[in-house]
């Protein structure tokens, strides 16, 4: 959120220009840095010297260091590390070094260090943080072989991909159902995308989707990203609301001197072909720099018919159930069973050749026609994306620096979604009517898939962010900085090719012809519910299929920020550093739309504009108890950090959140760390103020019958913020030579969590005993009170006249509430080791996240349920390990990905999923093609199918744990000009 300086040894971004600088004294240190990649050598230098060092990924890419050993002044040690590399270093102030290409600035000139973001602290930091941070620099991002930062974040072991991704939205796996524009959020620990704060350069994004409660990381031009920091700890003391499960900070490149062009193509079997092209152009001058980046992406859809486990809803061949339903074409004649309030099939309509039933002999008593409700859908939408990012920096004099950046994205998608279907009454007024038993009317369950095709979803997501900032160095050690930021998100969602039930009633002959429409059933034709989907004239299908819906959401996040920081006084262990600041923030959301689904004219919908104002003051201090000047045996470093933030909301009140951290290094190889803090998340504006509405739906009863239920949905103005307490404990082992290891234990405890409990297991809402407080069983046939209850909702938006009030068997409340508690604990592990082999380097790496406990309590009085490894929640273990060999510009990598097995709510086990990724890259140093990089990548090399899941949707896989794409092959070309 504010400017800080990079941890010593982190592969940071810095924009470096020439100026004058005072001479700086240099300290003497013991260095033991082996030969190896330049980035690793400079990282070790920062750690062993105790100083800050800045360099860009591009500056050190492909370079190697001869290493250094012995007791030397820091400058002399750095000279040896850079020997023969064509790099040089400069020093702007004591303990602050910058590495750059030779010729950009002389060693005796000052260096203005541009704003560098450190995630997890407000302070200029020199050393490790008390909270664990996973950092993915440009090399690490490119090394995955994935096309976008969004794809990389989704694949992180600490992330749960079962919500807020395009595939989870398309397959109805996302119980939150707010991601109507197919955005990509980050859901650390599976605590919800709204509980992970996403920043760009430390600044907030506007929310996306139908509730604007999470940020869309797919809107960013990935080629302009320099690194991604993932803070695996609560951080409301630093960043305010939403930083509960952690923080993802996407750091854009600080400068580009020259040009860079990228082109990438990828494809999976049967579809999802993807093309990405980007170009960056920039220039550095004596007192500033500027650059512009543009990225274009186009991807084809992936149809469910292209994968066997999603093709038709019959999962019996895979060991599952037949998930097809009685909405089909040809249809089924139903009857309502008063004893169960459930519809039961009496006859299957079996048209002969010609496509329509004509006699009682064209019906099969006691049999059913079955069809998947999701037949013909796309598992991934077709998309087109334009993204741009620009940045400018200008120094005025020696103390003042002005910065500004702007980012823009426009993404559109098209996809096939579930076809219209329903239960309809038809009488003898319809000339196509025929009865198997002489009745004068029938209730028919029917799918319009064959008549009008699947519904068509189209979205447009447009985002814009602008930041203007200034930094003034009051003295060599104290600075003041301020910035204003504004971000907009425009999310439009539309669905077409839907049935207008008012027009259908007219076409069925249930109501008279409407003189306001050009359609005349007697002339243009009646709709035939007794056919096989091919019996209706095109004019009839076009008339009833003219329904549509459009929703336009607008969200905005604006803020003004001020931060002052510098050293207070010096202790024997070093300077006490202090940062204090304030922030004024405003969030706003509005929505409007129109529907043409139930009436002869479009119905316009508009909700009042909602906004909130937030003011905050915050502070952070770092207290070095033991440092380089007073270190002793067993205590090389001992440091305490303290932070707190007070926020006042104009809609629900105020909150104060502290955070404490402690770092202890017994020697230069081992760092122990721990942190404790509290965090909170304020309810999204839509969660408070969503319009109340109802909708009919069908759910399974305990006896296996399907009951008609009335679902209640909407906001809750009485919601209170959810609060959490986080604790971490870990260590890092980083010897000069040998394997590196980092282990982190974490625990997060939620109270008053904001959720829709029923949506977590909506298909089992009538069966799951923990959801009983949200379900009211009714018997409108025999109870006048129950009948009155159903009738009381008749004027609510969404109430359907297609079903008699006596048909309902339950009322299910899915509105937002403050639920019980959630407790999550686990371990994160990172390890690596490298060897110099035959003039090359072999590097091993491991990343793993292990969930020890994930306890959920639906309500304060409900039993505690262990949900780790349950479908809809993170699995017990996710890991990625492998090796990369590099030599003379060639790099080859092979990595194994593991997702532990899970289980569904019926107790069925899902197998573990193991895949292999392979990459091969070449960086040219030829005179005719300098700066050219080629990378071939294969995700899921062996084409391992996702573990089978007997999903109620009929789509036989769990998108939260595995990808349906199969083998994906990509080729990327990069040229630096």
């Amino acid at each position: 959120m504010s400017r800080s300086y990079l941890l010593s040894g982190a592969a940071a971004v810095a924009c470096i220009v020439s100026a004058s600088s005072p001479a700086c004294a240099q300290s003497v240190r013991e260095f033991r840095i082996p030969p190896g990649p330049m980035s690793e050598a400079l990282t070790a230098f920062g750690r062993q010297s105790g100083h800050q060092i800045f360099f860009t990924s591009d500056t050190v890419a492909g370079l190697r260091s001869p290493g250094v050993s012995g007791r030397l002044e820091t400058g002399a040690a750095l000279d040896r590390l850079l020997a023969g590399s064509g790099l040089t270093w400069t020093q702007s102030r004591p303990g602050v070094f910058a590495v750059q290409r030779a010729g950009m600035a002389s060693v005796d000139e000052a260096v203005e260090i541009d704003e560098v973001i450190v995630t997890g602290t407000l302070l200029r930091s020199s050393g490790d943080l008390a909270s664990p941070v996973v950092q993915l620099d440009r090399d690490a991002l490119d090394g995955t072989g994935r096309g976008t930062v969004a794809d990389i974040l989704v694949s992180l072991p600490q992330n749960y991909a079962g919500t807020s991704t395009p595939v989870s939205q398309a397959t109805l796996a996302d119980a939150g159902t707010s991601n109507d524009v197919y955005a990509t959020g980050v859901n650390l620990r599976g605590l919800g995308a709204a509980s992970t704060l996403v920043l760009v350069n430390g600044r907030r994004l506007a929310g996306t989707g139908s509730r604007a409660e999470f940020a869309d990381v797919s809107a960013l031009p990935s080629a302009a990203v320099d690194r991604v920091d993932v803070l695996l700890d609560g951080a409301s003391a630093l960043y305010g609301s939403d930083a509960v499960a952690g923080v993802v900070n996407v750091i854009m490149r600080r400068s580009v001197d020259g040009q860079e062009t990228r082109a990438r193509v990828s494809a999976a079997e049967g579809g999802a072909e993807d093309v990405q092209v980007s170009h960056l152009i920039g220039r550095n001058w004596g007192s500033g720099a500027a650059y512009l980046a543009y990225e274009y992406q186009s991807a084809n859809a992936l149809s469910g018919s292209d994968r066997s486990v999603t093709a038709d809803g019959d999962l019996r061949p895979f060991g599952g159930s037949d998930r097809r339903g009685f909405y089909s074409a040809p249809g089924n004649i139903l009857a309502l069973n008063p004893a169960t309030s459930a519809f039961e099939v009496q006859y299957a309509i079996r048209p002969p050749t010609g496509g329509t039933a004509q006699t009682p002999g064209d019906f099969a008593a006691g049999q059913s026609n079955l069809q998947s409700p999701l037949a013909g859908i796309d598992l991934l939408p077709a998309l087109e994306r334009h993204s741009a990012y620009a940045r400018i920096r200008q120094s005025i004099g020696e103390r003042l620096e002005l910065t500004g950046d702007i980012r823009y994205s426009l993404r559109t998608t098209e996809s096939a979604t579930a076809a219209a279907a329903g239960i309809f009454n038809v009488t003898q007024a319809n000339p196509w009517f025929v009865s198997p038993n002489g009745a004068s009317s029938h209730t028919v369950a029917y799918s319009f898939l064959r008549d009008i095709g699947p519904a068509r979803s189209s979205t447009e997501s447009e985002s814009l962010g602008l930041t203007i900032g200034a930094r003034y160095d009051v003295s060599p050690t104290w600075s003041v900085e301020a910035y204003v930021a504004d971000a907009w998100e425009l999310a439009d969602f539309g669905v077409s090719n839907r049935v207008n039930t008012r027009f259908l009633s007219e076409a069925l002959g249930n109501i008279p012809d409407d003189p306001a429409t050009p359609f005349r059933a007697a002339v243009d034709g009646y709709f035939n519910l007794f056919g096989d989907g091919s019996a209706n004239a095109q004019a009839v299908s076009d008339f009833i299929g003219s329904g549509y819906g459009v929703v336009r959401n607008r969200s905005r996040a604006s803020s003004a920020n001020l931060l002052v920081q510098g050293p207070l006084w010096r202790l024997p262990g070093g300077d006490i550093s202090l940062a204090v600041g304030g922030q004024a923030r405003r969030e706003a959301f509005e929505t409007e739309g129109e529907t043409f689904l139930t009436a002869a004219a479009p119905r316009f919908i508009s909700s009042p504009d909602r906004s909130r104002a937030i003011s905050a003051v915050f502070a952070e201090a770092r207290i070095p108890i033991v440092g380089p000047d007073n270190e002793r045996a067993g205590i090389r470093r001992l440091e305490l950090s303290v932070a707190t933030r007070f926020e006042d909301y104009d809609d629900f009140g105020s909150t104060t959140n502290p955070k404490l951290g402690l770092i202890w290094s017994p020697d230069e190889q081992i760092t122990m760390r721990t942190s404790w803090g509290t965090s909170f998340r304020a309810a999204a504006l839509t969660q408070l103020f969503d319009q109340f509405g109802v909708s009919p739906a069908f759910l399974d009863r305990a006896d296996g019958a399907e009951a008609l239920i009335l679902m209640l949905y909407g906001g809750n103005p009485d919601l209170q913020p959810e609060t959490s307490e986080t604790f971490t404990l870990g260590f890092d082992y980083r010897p000069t030579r040998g394997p590196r290891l980092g282990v982190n234990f974490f625990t997060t405890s939620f109270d008053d969590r904001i959720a829709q409990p029923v949506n977590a297991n909506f298909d089992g809402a009538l069966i799951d005993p923990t959801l009983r407080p949200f379900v009211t069983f009714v018997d409108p046939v025999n109870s006048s009170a129950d009948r009155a209850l159903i009738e009381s909702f008749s004027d609510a938006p969404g109430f359907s006249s297609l079903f008699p009030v006596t048909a309902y068997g339950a009322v299910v409340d899915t509105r937002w509430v403050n639920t019980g508690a959630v407790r999550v604990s686990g371990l994160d592990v990172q390890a690596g080791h490298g060897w110099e082999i035959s003039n090359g380097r072999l590097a091993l790496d491991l990343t793993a996240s292990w969930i020890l406990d994930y306890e959920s309590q639906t309500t304060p009085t409900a039993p505690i349920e262990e949900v780790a490894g349950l479908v809809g929640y993170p699995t017990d273990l996710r890991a990625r390990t492998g090796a990369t060999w590099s030599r003379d510009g060639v790099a080859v990598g092979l990595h194994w990905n593991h997702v532990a097995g899970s289980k569904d709510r019926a107790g069925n086990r899902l197998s573990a999923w193991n895949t292999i990724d392979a990459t091969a890259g070449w960086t040219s140093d030829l005179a005719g093609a300098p700066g050219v990089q080629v990378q071939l990548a294969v995700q899921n090399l062996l084409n391992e199918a996702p573990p089978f899941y007997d999903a109620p949707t009929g789509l036989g896989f769990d998108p939260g744990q595995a990808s349906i794409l199969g083998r994906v092959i990509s080729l990327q070309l990069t040229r630096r000009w």
Side-chain angles (χ1 to χ4, degrees), residues 736-977:
T736 304
R737 298 176 183 272
R740 303 182 309 276
L741 176 65
V743 177
N744 178 64
F745 169 80
F746 65 89
T747 179
T748 300
S749 302
F750 261 114
D751 289 308
D752 293 326
R753 190 178 185 192
I754 300 168
Q756 296 167 298
V758 172
N759 284 348
N761 184 25
F762 182 73
D763 293 313
L766 303 185
I767 304 171
D768 189 342
T770 66
L771 300 178
R772 189 64 180 84
F774 307 99
V775 178
T776 301
F777 289 98
V778 295
D779 183 8
V781 174
N782 301 304
S783 171
S784 58
D786 289 348
R787 182 185 180 97
L789 175 63
I790 300 298
E791 290 175 340
S792 69
F793 297 110
S794 60
D795 293 330
F799 191 86
S800 176
S801 60
L802 294 175
F803 306 101
V805 295
T806 54
Y808 289 95
V811 177
V812 179
D813 193 341
T814 69
R815 288 175 291 185
W816 294 97
V817 294
N818 286 108
T819 63
V822 174
R823 305 284 187 269
V824 183
S825 63
L827 286 173
D828 294 321
V829 178
Q830 286 189 297
H833 190 31
W835 299 267
E836 304 295 323
I837 299 177
S838 301
N839 296 322
R841 180 173 177 80
L842 178 65
L844 301 182
D845 61 270
L846 164 69
T847 302
S849 183
W850 183 17
I851 300 294
L852 300 175
D853 291 294
Y854 196 129
E855 297 177 343
S856 177
Q857 189 177 28
T858 307
T859 67
T861 59
I864 296 175
E865 182 183 14
E866 176 59 57
V867 296
L870 184 67
V871 170
Y873 296 90
T875 190
D876 296 330
L877 176 64
R878 291 174 62 94
R880 176 179 171 87
T881 185
T884 302
W885 180 82
S886 58
R887 176 181 175 182
D888 298 332
V890 175
V892 179
L894 199 66
H895 283 79
W896 171 66
N897 308 288
H898 172 73
V899 180
S902 55
K903 63 180 180 180
D904 62 20
R905 290 191 174 271
N908 301 311
R909 297 294 304 177
L910 279 66
S911 302
W913 194 49
N914 296 286
T915 60
I916 294 176
D917 298 339
T919 58
W922 173 66
T923 300
S924 170
D925 59 357
L926 301 178
V932 173
Q933 293 181 331
V934 182
Q935 184 188 63
L936 176 67
V938 184
Q939 308 292 329
N940 194 354
L941 179 66
L942 302 181
N943 201 26
E944 290 291 331
F948 172 71
Y949 167 42
D950 191 14
T953 60
L955 305 176
F957 77 107
D958 178 10
Q961 311 294 13
S963 170
I964 194 65
L965 286 173
R967 183 187 296 115
V968 179
I969 302 175
S970 65
L971 177 66
Q972 177 172 292
L973 304 177
T974 304
R975 172 69 190 271
R976 294 185 175 91
W977 305 83

Side-chain angles (χ1 to χ4, degrees), residues 164-166 168-169 174 176-184 208-210 214:
S164 306
T165 64
S168 65
Q169 175 70 13
D174 189 346
T177 63
S178 67
N179 190 16
D180 52 11
V181 293
Y182 297 93
T184 302
T208 192
S210 61
F214 72 94

Side-chain angles (χ1 to χ4, degrees), residues 15-250:
C15 297
I16 304 166
V17 296
S18 301
S20 63
S21 170
C24 300
Q26 309 227 344
S27 57
V28 176
R29 290 284 189 273
E30 181 71 30
F31 292 95
R32 293 184 297 167
I33 303 176
M38 185 63 71
S39 61
E40 294 185 9
L42 294 177
T43 297
F45 171 83
R47 188 167 60 249
Q48 295 181 26
S49 68
H51 296 320
Q52 300 172 46
I53 184 159
F54 300 90
F55 55 92
T56 67
S57 303
D58 293 341
T59 299
V60 300
L63 298 180
R64 298 182 64 77
S65 170
V68 63
S69 180
R71 189 169 178 81
L72 301 166
E73 287 188 346
T74 51
L78 196 50
D79 285 337
R80 295 191 185 184
L81 287 180
L82 301 179
S85 66
L87 302 178
T88 187
W89 62 269
T90 50
Q91 188 175 20
S92 63
R93 59 179 65 95
V96 180
F97 293 86
V99 174
Q100 60 196 80
R101 295 185 183 90
M104 290 184 62
S106 63
V107 175
D108 58 352
E109 292 179 320
V111 178
E112 286 293 330
I113 305 291
D114 189 21
E115 179 183 45
V116 178
I117 307 299
V118 180
T119 306
T121 180
L122 306 174
L123 294 160
R124 302 171 182 176
S125 182
S126 177
D128 298 303
L129 293 179
S131 297
V133 178
V134 173
Q135 190 174 93
L136 302 171
D137 63 13
R138 187 71 250 178
D139 291 339
L141 296 172
D142 289 339
T144 65
R146 300 181 186 273
T148 67
V149 169
D151 292 337
I152 295 169
L153 290 172
V154 167
S155 67
L156 280 178
Q158 295 85 2
N159 183 66
Y160 172 60
T163 65
S164 306
T165 64
V167 66
S168 65
Q169 175 70 13
T171 58
L172 308 184
D174 189 346
T177 63
S178 67
N179 190 16
D180 52 11
V181 293
Y182 297 93
T184 302
V186 184
N187 183 3
L188 295 176
R189 314 299 189 196
L191 294 172
S195 296
T196 298
L197 179 62
V198 176
L199 307 171
V200 174
N201 292 337
R203 280 57 162 160
R204 286 176 177 259
L205 287 75
T208 192
S210 61
R211 291 196 296 271
E213 86 275 35
F214 72 94
D216 180 14
V217 293
S218 69
L220 303 173
S222 297
V225 173
D226 187 84
R227 78 177 198 270
V228 178
D229 293 346
V230 183
L231 176 67
L232 299 172
D233 191 10
S236 287
L238 302 173
Y239 300 108
S241 178
D242 306 339
V244 176
V247 179
V248 172
N249 197 2
V250 181

Side-chain angles (χ1 to χ4, degrees), residues 524-548:
D524 299 304
Y526 287 84
F527 190 84
N528 183 1
L529 280 178
F530 296 89
D532 62 2
S534 64
N536 289 291
Q538 190 64 44
V540 180
S541 296
D542 290 345
F543 177 62
I544 67 149
S546 58
Y548 66 86

Side-chain angles (χ1 to χ4, degrees), residues 3 5 93 112-113 115 124 394-403 469-483 561-566:
R3 183 186 65 96
Y5 284 82
R93 59 179 65 95
E112 286 293 330
I113 305 291
E115 179 183 45
R124 302 171 182 176
Q394 179 64 54
S395 295
I396 301 176
E398 296 183 354
R399 294 190 175 189
L400 179 63
E401 182 182 75
L402 304 178
T403 60
R471 186 188 74 232
Y472 182 73
D473 291 330
V474 180
S475 71
T477 56
W478 279 88
S479 66
V480 178
E481 57 185 300
Y483 72 86
N561 307 264
L562 179 69
L563 182 70
V564 180
Q565 64 173 295

Side-chain angles (χ1 to χ4, degrees), residues 183 297 482 527 551 607 762:
Q297 180 183 13
F527 190 84
V551 178
S607 297
F762 182 73

Side-chain angles (χ1 to χ4, degrees), residues 478-517:
W478 279 88
S479 66
V480 178
E481 57 185 300
Y483 72 86
V484 293
D486 214 348
W488 297 264
E489 181 82 19
L490 316 177
D492 294 352
F493 167 78
V495 61
S496 59
N497 213 38
R498 295 290 303 273
V499 168
N500 182 305
T501 57
R502 171 63 175 73
F503 287 178
L504 177 62
S505 294
E506 185 177 337
L508 288 173
N510 294 341
I511 61 174
D513 283 337
D514 187 344
T517 68

